[in-house]
Amino acid sequence: MRYYLYNSGAKIDMLFGQIPAKLLRCLAVEAKLDLKVLSVQLQSPRDEISEYDRLQVVESYLEREYEVSWITEPASWFRGDLPLRIAGYGRPSGPVFMTGQEGDTVVALIGSAHHLVGQRVGPESIPPSHAALPSLFRLLRETPEDWPLGEPRLALRDCGRARRNEPLRQVLEFSRLLKEPAVYCDFLARRLMHGTLTTESGRELQIVVGTPLYVAQSDEAEGR
């Protein structure tokens, strides 16, 4: 069982709705879902099985039909398992930013705080989507005042204006300033951007930017 922190229902529904019916049944068997429920679902709107069951099917589909890689060699879909600093609680209509590092690979994930478990808005609301690069770089320029960033906050904003042609460096500097305690997580994400840069000390880092399908608290010991 997974202890979910973030679960993108919008992405799950979008991907689930594109799986061919014949393949859907096969994947449901592999995921050990209730075939009686699925048989009813196949003849009616695709929202009669739970979001977590749909996620299982979507994850199985991605593993079967696409290359799902590790964060150090990110394909279009990639996995990770590492401590993440997460900022965005308390703003269901705003963005959520998650970041962590494994060796020379820095991961930055951008999504909508609406998908944080426990932060869902009412069904009458239509929350905006932040799972794209424009939202990320707007966030870098216009960081909410209550986000747990270290100083200098203004220097980050000045840097963002002065280095518009260096998006990977902006992501790295923002990640370094985030001061939330890290939570050990595993996740599956869609790659948005990937590249390398050399720091002032001469160290070469790989920067991976993505938007998560899910983020779950891992059983690994904190601080590993």
Side-chain angles (χ1 to χ4, degrees), residues 54-218:
R54 293 199 300 275
L55 173 57
Q56 276 190 276
V57 172
V58 168
E59 190 172 2
S60 296
Y61 177 75
L62 292 174
E63 292 280 5
R64 177 174 177 148
E65 301 294 326
Y66 293 84
E67 177 188 2
V68 179
S69 65
W70 194 249
I71 52 176
T72 52
E73 297 180 0
S76 58
W77 288 93
F78 63 93
R79 294 186 179 280
D81 184 2
L82 73 167
L84 291 178
R85 291 184 170 84
I86 304 173
Y89 292 101
R91 289 177 172 267
S93 62
V96 59
F97 184 82
M98 316 178 201
T99 184
Q101 183 168 349
E102 179 177 295
D104 292 331
T105 300
V106 176
V107 179
L109 303 176
I110 182 73
S112 300
H114 165 67
H115 296 305
L116 288 165
V117 175
Q119 296 291 314
R120 305 294 174 91
V121 298
E124 70 281 357
S125 303
I126 302 177
S129 173
H130 295 282
L133 288 175
S135 284
L136 173 59
F137 291 102
R138 185 164 59 250
L139 174 63
L140 300 188
R141 294 191 302 270
E142 303 170 0
T143 312
E145 291 295 336
D146 59 349
W147 273 38
L149 294 180
E151 297 299 336
R153 181 186 295 268
L154 291 178
L156 173 68
R157 292 177 176 173
D158 291 342
C159 173
R161 286 192 288 270
R163 295 177 173 174
R164 292 183 188 277
N165 295 326
E166 297 184 8
L168 294 177
R169 193 171 299 278
Q170 293 179 44
V171 172
L172 175 61
E173 291 171 350
F174 188 86
S175 298
R176 286 174 169 174
L177 285 172
L178 196 63
K179 298 305 179 183
E180 278 283 337
V183 179
Y184 207 100
C185 299
D186 63 83
F187 58 85
L188 174 60
R190 182 70 165 86
R191 187 190 66 203
L192 298 176
M193 185 171 63
H194 172 223
T196 60
L197 60 82
T198 302
T199 66
E200 295 80 358
S201 64
R203 182 180 181 183
E204 188 172 272
L205 295 177
Q206 178 177 215
I207 311 297
V208 183
V209 180
T211 182
L213 185 64
Y214 74 82
V215 178
Q217 189 169 345
S218 173

